[in-house]
Amino acid sequence: DYFFRGVAKLRGLAKAKDLHQLSIDLNRRMLWVDEYEAKVSEVNDVLVDMVDALDELDTHIVKGDKDDRDPVVAARRARPPVSKGRILRGVWKDGRPMQQGSKNPWFDFDELHKEAKDQKRKLAQKRRSEAEERKNMEKKPKKKRRDSDQPSPPPLPAHLQILKEERDRRRVERSNIKQKKKAFTTSTM
């Protein structure tokens, strides 16, 4: 609260003595952080050893009567020992070093989660494109049959045949009238 009131009262440009004081305070805090980072690192090393000891105790020392019949316990005991403390510490992951500067295993889990999402997205995209290709193949026109391959249509019923003949007769009459008009207009000009 005191800090915020002081900041609210500030006006104008920062003076050299203010910047110098800020630099001194910042350097002090950085040294303090480095010191405590080293202490936390030592504590984490001790915790790594404890986690590994507990894991070994759980798998190899504590044994029950029914452990022989439990396939999970048998498989766990048969596996080569893996330092769970080192994994939690971020020293290595899946037998390979973690990314440079990453000591938080959650960063790597997030990365693996993103990779899995990308793989799912790529698979879905591949399936969509395959479905579109199949759809396009179905849409492609099939070979047209030639007229010689097609059988002739069945004859029209009598009442429709009469209508067709009348339609054809009218067409012929109209075309004759058009030709006569054309011939008359060309001869008069």
Side-chain angles (χ1 to χ4, degrees), residues 1-12 18:
D1 193 39
Y2 176 75
F3 173 76
F4 290 112
R5 276 196 227 138
V7 169
K9 290 179 185 177
L10 289 178
R11 298 199 190 276
D18 297 329

Side-chain angles (χ1 to χ4, degrees), residues 74-139:
R76 189 170 178 205
R77 287 184 180 154
R79 273 188 236 133
V82 175
S83 173
K84 297 213 178 9
R86 289 176 56 106
I87 293 173
L88 291 173
R89 191 74 191 277
V91 175
W92 64 279
K93 173 187 77 173
D94 297 333
R96 60 181 198 261
M98 290 179 71
Q99 291 179 352
Q100 193 68 15
S102 171
K103 289 193 174 184
N104 186 346
W106 294 109
F107 291 143
D108 296 312
F109 292 139
D110 289 342
E111 181 183 316
L112 291 174
H113 183 66
K114 287 178 186 175
E115 288 174 10
K117 274 187 175 180
D118 288 341
Q119 287 176 352
K120 285 181 183 178
R121 186 174 32 83
K122 288 177 184 177
L123 182 63
Q125 189 175 16
K126 181 180 175 185
R127 286 181 182 163
R128 276 193 299 269
S129 64
E130 289 174 357
E132 284 181 27
E133 286 178 21
R134 276 187 260 129
K135 194 176 184 181
N136 291 337
M137 293 295 286
E138 292 172 2
K139 283 184 179 179

Side-chain angles (χ1 to χ4, degrees), residues 27-186:
N27 285 335
R28 251 189 230 152
R29 298 296 177 246
M30 287 175 58
L31 289 173
W32 179 83
V33 166
D34 289 341
E35 179 184 331
Y36 279 94
E37 182 184 13
K39 288 180 182 179
V40 168
S41 180
E42 290 173 14
V43 170
N44 281 340
D45 289 338
V46 171
L47 289 174
V48 164
D49 294 339
M50 287 182 67
V51 166
D52 289 340
L54 287 173
D55 190 44
E56 184 179 347
L57 176 80
D58 185 37
T59 55
H60 296 294
I61 297 174
V62 176
K63 294 185 180 181
D65 299 334
K66 298 178 183 177
D67 285 352
D68 299 336
R69 289 179 254 151
D70 189 358
V72 175
V73 173
R76 189 170 178 205
R77 287 184 180 154
R79 273 188 236 133
V82 175
S83 173
K84 297 213 178 9
R86 289 176 56 106
I87 293 173
L88 291 173
R89 191 74 191 277
V91 175
W92 64 279
K93 173 187 77 173
D94 297 333
R96 60 181 198 261
M98 290 179 71
Q99 291 179 352
Q100 193 68 15
S102 171
K103 289 193 174 184
N104 186 346
W106 294 109
F107 291 143
D108 296 312
F109 292 139
D110 289 342
E111 181 183 316
L112 291 174
H113 183 66
K114 287 178 186 175
E115 288 174 10
K117 274 187 175 180
D118 288 341
Q119 287 176 352
K120 285 181 183 178
R121 186 174 32 83
K122 288 177 184 177
L123 182 63
Q125 189 175 16
K126 181 180 175 185
R127 286 181 182 163
R128 276 193 299 269
S129 64
E130 289 174 357
E132 284 181 27
E133 286 178 21
R134 276 187 260 129
K135 194 176 184 181
N136 291 337
M137 293 295 286
E138 292 172 2
K139 283 184 179 179
K140 283 186 180 177
K142 295 180 181 175
K143 278 188 173 180
K144 291 185 177 179
R145 299 177 87 190
R146 287 181 272 162
D147 291 337
S148 61
D149 294 344
Q150 237 177 354
S152 58
L156 288 173
H159 67 285
L160 293 177
Q161 186 67 32
I162 294 169
L163 293 174
K164 181 182 176 197
E165 288 171 359
E166 280 183 30
R167 186 190 67 198
D168 291 342
R169 184 181 50 77
R170 275 185 261 141
R171 278 188 187 164
V172 169
E173 284 177 6
R174 273 190 244 136
S175 67
N176 287 339
I177 292 171
K178 283 183 185 178
Q179 286 176 357
K180 285 180 186 177
K181 282 184 183 178
K182 224 184 214 183
F184 180 72
T185 54
T186 55

